[in-house]
Amino acid sequence: MHGNSREARQLRERLAQAGALAADSAAGLHVIAPHPFAEDVAALQARFTPCIMLRRPGWAAAQGDNWHWVASPQQAADWLAEHAAGPVLVALGNERLAPFYALTSTPLVIRSRKAPHPAQPPLGEVIVDSGPFSEASEIAAFRKHDITTVVAHDAGGQGGWPKLAAARALGLPVVLLRRPDWPAGTAFDDVATLWRHLRGTLGLDLPPYAP
């Protein structure tokens, strides 16, 4: 197992319980399951063979969503400079904040699992919080901070979805950072599907998958 995504942790735990998790040197098959925005997937794929990949699907807009897709944090910051009066919730991870800290007239609410550096944007504040969040708690937070726009990355999954649900409920625009491309190869969307592949197609001695 290679990666620190939520799915990687789930699969690692299940394989360990089934006695099927081997050390890298003894593994007959490697599973690459980093965060969807990981950029070292090709290197992992080249290093660990044979391998399959696990990456949860991205989000899809539905009725009521006002999403604006961008290819980079800089494009997101440029969009804000042109369209957003603020305050803007930025929930992208600390490594992507530099273009936003260059904005001098847009109030930002930076939300992060750990304090970023610099500690404060030119305008606005930093909230250190790792959740979990719900749609109701996000709506309350957005109203408290007068949020007008949400900036996020297309992480997929349920953990980050409440902020998008809250934006929909409040009619707020969302600027979404597209995922980096992953290399071609056998890939699965979720742990259950991959587990059935390991058990059925590859014939590994695993118990049936139970949610």
Side-chain angles (χ1 to χ4, degrees):
M1 282 295 306
H2 309 281
N4 59 356
S5 65
R6 183 179 303 109
E7 291 76 16
R9 295 192 294 270
Q10 292 172 352
L11 182 60
R12 186 178 288 113
E13 181 179 347
R14 285 177 176 268
L15 289 173
Q17 291 174 349
L21 189 62
D24 289 347
S25 60
L29 177 68
H30 298 269
V31 178
I32 298 173
H35 188 275
F37 274 78
E39 297 180 351
D40 61 346
V41 178
L44 291 172
Q45 188 184 50
R47 179 181 176 187
F48 299 106
T49 58
C51 71
I52 55 179
M53 295 178 287
L54 172 62
R55 180 165 71 164
R56 59 181 175 265
W59 292 314
Q63 184 175 0
D65 290 323
N66 180 13
W67 292 2
H68 304 271
W69 291 92
V70 296
S72 68
Q74 184 62 61
Q75 286 188 10
D78 292 343
W79 192 96
L80 295 180
E82 184 176 353
H83 299 283
V88 175
L89 176 73
V90 179
L92 278 179
N94 291 351
E95 68 277 12
R96 303 182 184 94
L97 292 179
F100 302 95
Y101 276 68
L103 299 174
T104 57
S105 60
T106 305
L108 304 176
V109 177
I110 306 292
R111 190 167 71 190
S112 177
R113 294 176 181 270
K114 58 183 180 180
H117 179 78
Q120 295 293 332
L123 287 177
E125 61 182 307
V126 169
I127 299 174
V128 178
D129 193 347
S130 59
F133 305 104
S134 67
E135 180 179 345
S137 70
E138 293 287 54
I139 289 174
F142 290 4
R143 287 174 171 163
K144 176 182 177 180
H145 296 282
D146 297 320
I147 298 299
T148 66
T149 307
V150 175
V151 180
H153 53 0
D154 181 22
Q158 295 300 311
W161 176 254
K163 59 180 171 288
L164 303 187
R168 177 193 295 169
L170 297 174
L172 304 181
V174 176
V175 181
L176 268 178
L177 180 62
R178 295 186 185 278
R179 298 176 172 199
D181 292 332
W182 276 21
T186 303
F188 296 87
D189 288 342
D190 55 64
V191 174
T193 304
L194 189 151
W195 189 271
R196 287 192 289 270
H197 174 76
L198 296 176
R199 187 171 182 266
T201 305
L202 299 184
L204 297 188
D205 185 17
L206 298 173
Y209 184 87

